[in-house]
Amino acid sequence: MTSTPDIIAGTPEKPRRATFDLIALLAAPGLLFLALIYALPLALLLFQSLRGADGSLGIANYVAFFSEPFNIGVLMRTLRVAALTTLLALLIAYPTAIAMNRAKGVWLTVFLVAMVLPMSLGVVVKAFAWSILFRANGALNQMMQAIGLTDAPVRMLFTETALVIGAANVFLPFMVLPIYAVLQQQQASLADAAASLGAGPFFRFFHVALPLTLPGIVAGGAFVFSLSVSMYVIPSLIVGETQQNLPMLIARSFLYLRNEQLGSTISAILLIIAISVVLGSSWLARRLGARE
Amino acid sequence: MRMQVIASSQPESLSVTGAMTPGDKRYLEVSMVCKSFHGVTVMEGMNLRMARGELVSLLGPSGCGKTTLLRVIAGLMPADGGDVVLGARNITLVPAHKRNISVVFQNYALFPHLSVSENVAFGLKARGETADMQAKVADALALVRMQGFADKSVTGLSGGQQQRVAVARALVVRPDLLLLDEPFSALDRKLRETMQVELKSLLRDRDITAIFVTHDQEEAMGVSDRIAVMNAGKIEQFADSSTLYARPKTPFVMDFVGLSLRLHGRVVGHEAGVSVIETARGHVTAPVDLPVGSAAIIAVRPELVRALDMTNAPVAAGCNTISAHLEDAMVLGSKTILHGRAEDGDRIVCELSGIHSGYRRGQTVRFEWNIEDTLAYAVGP
């Protein structure tokens, strides 16, 4: 047995050795799988983007990409659609999460099923369902004409508006659930405490509810923004080739143009956007969390 | 059996420790307040009146409606009917944030995203009273001896420190009424007693009117001028602690406040303000008028019971006496508690001052007390 003075002196009888936990080996298949199927191709892709047509290494491909106004337009559209989708998802998700937080028993189950069930339905099926809703003689146009909002059918299919609505629909659970999780950790009495101290509804919202849910909003925003930036199927089905985004441009470069350098370069740009969203949001979440 | 007792019907109970501010006895007036949840009535025709500067406790078991009453007064929950008047202003329909009633919550409800001083400043900011805010916040923190913690995060504080911050936050806005919901329940026993003394003198010094909600009778007796004992949505008795203890109005109050020797029986005779009750341990005389034939409970506070070693001694005049086998003798240092073997639902208990180590389990002991100390209640036909 180790005696107490030894411990105090810092000279335990057994020399301390870095022990290797055999259980850690269980992670090996997963790590190997990721390394082979994810990290390696990604590294090759990045390498590809840095290689010129003549085989020399450099940022020529990036310069070429950014000097093309069409590409800048696609990049801007991608970011704009992602930002609008995130905003719309937030506006719908926030009240939903509050309602879910209040819900009990059967109602909570209904809410959770309503959040999770649509995820099991393929995006293709949803997109065709929307086209029934959005088309010229679709349900939405008929309704708007019936209540006298519009005189003639409004073009909604193949518009950015339809894309944002559709994408917000698909990604909604990724915004609701983080906000709901943050709300779940809050004491219900905080709102009562604020009210009893003389804070009206607006003051309570902006000084208590909103700051406390900000980490959830940041996390949900990061999810939805990253998903929106990299979506391919939804814009292909809703707006088609007329208004391309970055992932569609990538697919076109690889599949139709057979320009692997361009495709790799756009992929790398998309990757950089995604990584900065993740890093930026986790930095923001940590900064917000540090106060607590 | 149960009755609503309001302050005006108990003028003798107002003669308390002397610190009470004379004047308006109707500073807070709750009248005929009703509340039900999903068709279940939890409160009906609730009345409560208290004076300015008075410290009152709502005491009762969980589910008695004390927290509901507190939330109705605070405006955090609408009443189904009735009125709440505070300082001549009817606030029944006034939203919580315009009532100027501060609440200290059971879990303190400090804002985790704000520092200690920001928590205390919250109420001033919300009201737009930003003049001298820093000075007011510093004063409030000094009042609860937390001035060294102004810039600390509230999540790192101990329970007692969090409670001090909650009290400072509630007082800095100069509330017309302070409500405290089980404020000491999360603290350990020693800290709880210290905080009770501290808080009471703080409220007294500042002449603050406050209502404590608690299920702990010692806490209620320690911190308040008067105690409203609640049961099943009604106030059973509203009096100062000595009246509650010495003259409980109902068997519920007798049982809930303090321990008693307690026997069930039946009234077998009465004359001139004295009733005789037959119990499993013999006849007991009580100084009250009870209808002959009705079921009754008699009770005595344990420190008024004497234990006699000589079981054959004659019964002294003006005394009740019963015999029982000793179940247990607990020597607690400052007192010794004797438990006699009793029938189901009855309790035989005697509290002797000091150490008495001569008692043995199983021995027969005679218990004696004065007739005038006997409490008795009719509990049915």
Side-chain angles (χ1 to χ4, degrees):
Chain A
M1 254 196 74
T2 310
S3 59
T4 315
D6 279 338
I7 291 172
I8 290 168
T11 53
E13 283 169 23
K14 274 193 212 166
R16 199 171 279 195
R17 209 183 299 153
T19 53
F20 182 75
D21 194 346
L22 284 177
I23 304 271
L25 280 179
L26 289 175
L31 286 175
L32 200 67
F33 181 81
L34 281 178
L36 256 162
I37 306 300
Y38 179 73
L40 187 66
L42 208 63
L44 289 174
L45 198 77
L46 283 176
F47 178 68
Q48 188 93 286
S49 76
L50 291 171
R51 219 172 51 160
D54 55 352
S56 62
L57 284 178
I59 56 163
N61 288 328
Y62 291 90
V63 174
F65 176 85
F66 282 110
S67 49
E68 179 69 62
F70 174 77
N71 291 340
I72 302 289
V74 171
L75 175 65
M76 285 303 149
R77 181 181 302 122
T78 307
L79 293 176
R80 185 176 62 239
V81 167
L84 288 173
T85 302
T86 308
L87 188 68
L88 180 62
L90 174 63
L91 290 180
I92 301 170
Y94 201 85
T96 310
I98 293 174
M100 263 174 83
N101 189 42
R102 292 270 174 90
K104 285 182 191 120
V106 180
W107 280 108
L108 182 59
T109 313
V110 168
F111 268 121
L112 286 172
V113 168
M115 281 297 123
V116 176
L117 200 61
M119 288 206 262
S120 65
L121 194 68
V123 174
V124 177
V125 180
K126 272 192 215 168
F128 283 114
W130 296 325
S131 66
I132 298 173
L133 194 72
F134 288 137
R135 70 189 172 202
N137 61 346
L140 208 58
N141 260 319
Q142 282 180 6
M143 202 174 71
M144 289 204 294
Q145 280 168 285
I147 60 172
L149 213 64
T150 51
D151 297 330
V154 176
R155 184 186 144 95
M156 279 181 290
L157 212 55
F158 307 117
T159 64
E160 205 172 277
T161 313
L163 174 59
V164 168
I165 293 174
N169 175 335
V170 175
F171 302 142
L172 192 62
F174 296 98
M175 186 65 96
V176 173
L177 295 176
I179 298 174
Y180 171 68
V182 171
L183 284 172
Q184 282 280 290
Q185 293 169 357
Q186 273 182 33
Q187 288 180 11
S189 51
L190 291 181
D192 286 343
S196 77
L197 289 167
F202 286 104
F203 197 91
R204 290 205 291 276
F205 179 76
F206 286 108
H207 288 85
V208 180
L210 193 59
L212 286 173
T213 44
L214 223 44
I217 293 174
V218 168
F223 276 138
V224 174
F225 194 87
S226 328
L227 288 168
S228 305
V229 164
S230 57
M231 64 184 172
Y232 173 70
V233 178
I234 302 170
S236 303
L237 291 170
I238 297 185
V239 293
E241 291 287 314
T242 51
Q243 298 174 46
Q244 296 190 45
N245 69 354
L246 287 181
M248 287 163 84
L249 206 55
I250 295 170
R252 206 174 62 146
S253 309
F254 278 113
L255 300 176
Y256 306 131
L257 304 178
R258 300 278 169 195
N259 187 345
E260 288 191 11
Q261 270 80 21
L262 181 62
S264 305
T265 307
I266 309 171
S267 302
I269 291 168
L270 197 57
L271 191 69
I272 291 164
I273 294 173
I275 288 175
S276 20
V277 167
V278 169
L279 289 181
S281 63
S282 62
W283 173 81
L284 201 59
R286 244 201 327 277
R287 230 183 79 100
L288 294 169
R291 308 246 14 211
E292 294 183 18
Chain B
M1 208 50 235
R2 284 173 192 146
M3 10 188 356
Q4 287 156 29
V5 183
I6 52 176
S8 54
S9 71
Q10 296 247 318
E12 79 282 358
S13 67
L14 292 174
S15 55
V16 283
T17 46
M20 211 180 74
T21 317
D24 191 6
K25 296 270 192 288
R26 292 180 167 197
Y27 180 63
L28 174 72
E29 189 167 13
V30 173
S31 42
M32 298 308 288
V33 164
C34 308
K35 183 73 196 173
S36 56
F37 294 104
H38 308 295
V40 180
T41 304
V42 294
M43 194 175 285
E44 210 173 354
M46 169 64 66
N47 295 306
L48 181 82
R49 278 183 203 162
M50 59 186 283
R52 179 177 225 123
E54 203 177 7
L55 305 180
V56 163
S57 282
L58 304 179
L59 173 67
S62 57
C64 72
K66 56 191 193 294
T67 297
T68 303
L69 179 57
L70 179 115
R71 294 179 66 82
V72 166
I73 294 172
L76 299 171
M77 183 186 277
D80 296 340
D83 281 302
V84 181
V85 176
L86 179 63
R89 174 181 172 220
N90 190 327
I91 56 169
T92 314
L93 299 174
V94 175
H97 65 278
K98 290 181 181 161
R99 289 194 180 194
N100 200 24
I101 297 176
S102 287
V103 184
V104 173
F105 291 85
Q106 187 169 8
N107 54 16
Y108 315 130
L110 298 179
F111 304 117
H113 60 299
L114 301 178
S115 70
V116 167
S117 60
E118 285 168 335
N119 260 280
V120 176
F122 187 92
L124 295 172
K125 263 191 201 152
R127 292 157 194 245
E129 297 170 15
T130 44
D132 302 329
M133 191 166 71
Q134 291 312 318
K136 285 179 186 169
V137 169
D139 281 352
L141 283 174
L143 199 66
V144 295
R145 298 192 283 114
M146 286 290 287
Q147 55 271 58
F149 293 82
D151 299 321
K152 290 264 181 356
S153 155
V154 292
T155 47
L157 301 180
S158 70
Q161 290 168 336
Q162 289 193 28
Q163 197 201 36
R164 286 165 204 252
V165 175
V167 169
R169 184 178 72 172
L171 290 182
V172 76
V173 295
R174 301 192 159 276
D176 292 330
L177 178 65
L178 178 67
L179 305 178
L180 304 103
D181 188 7
E182 306 267 6
F184 306 106
S185 63
L187 307 177
D188 66 59
R189 192 185 167 87
K190 278 225 170 96
L191 186 56
R192 188 161 56 207
E193 282 167 8
T194 316
M195 291 300 290
Q196 284 168 9
V197 174
E198 243 177 55
L199 191 56
K200 189 177 177 181
S201 54
L202 195 151
L203 299 180
R204 282 259 185 273
D205 292 346
R206 308 203 114 202
D207 197 23
I208 285 161
T209 315
I211 300 178
F212 292 83
V213 159
T214 178
H215 63 268
D216 180 342
Q217 50 133 333
E218 272 188 32
E219 179 178 314
M221 293 171 107
V223 295
S224 40
D225 300 320
R226 282 193 301 159
I227 299 162
V229 181
M230 289 182 68
N231 181 34
K234 297 233 163 86
I235 293 179
E236 298 247 344
Q237 190 171 2
F238 189 20
D240 63 290
S241 56
S242 55
T243 308
L244 277 185
Y245 189 77
R247 291 288 152 208
K249 266 201 167 155
T250 67
F252 178 84
V253 176
M254 176 270 291
D255 261 336
F256 199 80
V257 179
L259 194 67
S260 312
L261 181 153
R262 183 186 62 190
L263 301 171
H264 285 80
R266 191 162 288 280
V267 182
V268 292
H270 81 97
E271 56 175 286
V274 173
S275 303
V276 177
I277 294 117
E278 184 181 27
T279 73
R281 298 276 154 182
H283 285 111
V284 171
T285 308
V288 282
D289 259 323
L290 297 177
V292 173
S294 64
I297 294 177
I298 71 102
V300 201
R301 293 303 185 187
E303 68 280 5
L304 301 174
V305 178
R306 300 178 288 274
L308 304 181
D309 301 332
M310 296 173 295
T311 46
N312 300 328
V315 179
C319 287
N320 282 313
T321 181
I322 59 171
S323 295
H325 291 293
L326 202 60
E327 186 127 293
D328 196 10
M330 301 195 290
V331 180
L332 301 178
S334 65
K335 60 191 176 187
T336 300
I337 297 180
L338 305 181
H339 287 276
R341 200 159 297 156
E343 282 66 30
D344 279 353
D346 287 354
R347 190 196 297 127
I348 297 174
V349 60
C350 164
E351 186 181 313
L352 305 172
S353 168
I355 294 174
H356 299 261
S357 48
Y359 290 99
R360 292 290 168 267
R361 182 183 156 84
Q363 81 177 85
T364 304
V365 178
R366 219 171 91 187
F367 297 101
E368 186 188 82
W369 66 91
N370 298 343
I371 287 174
E372 62 194 60
D373 293 332
T374 310
L375 305 165
Y377 309 90
V379 290

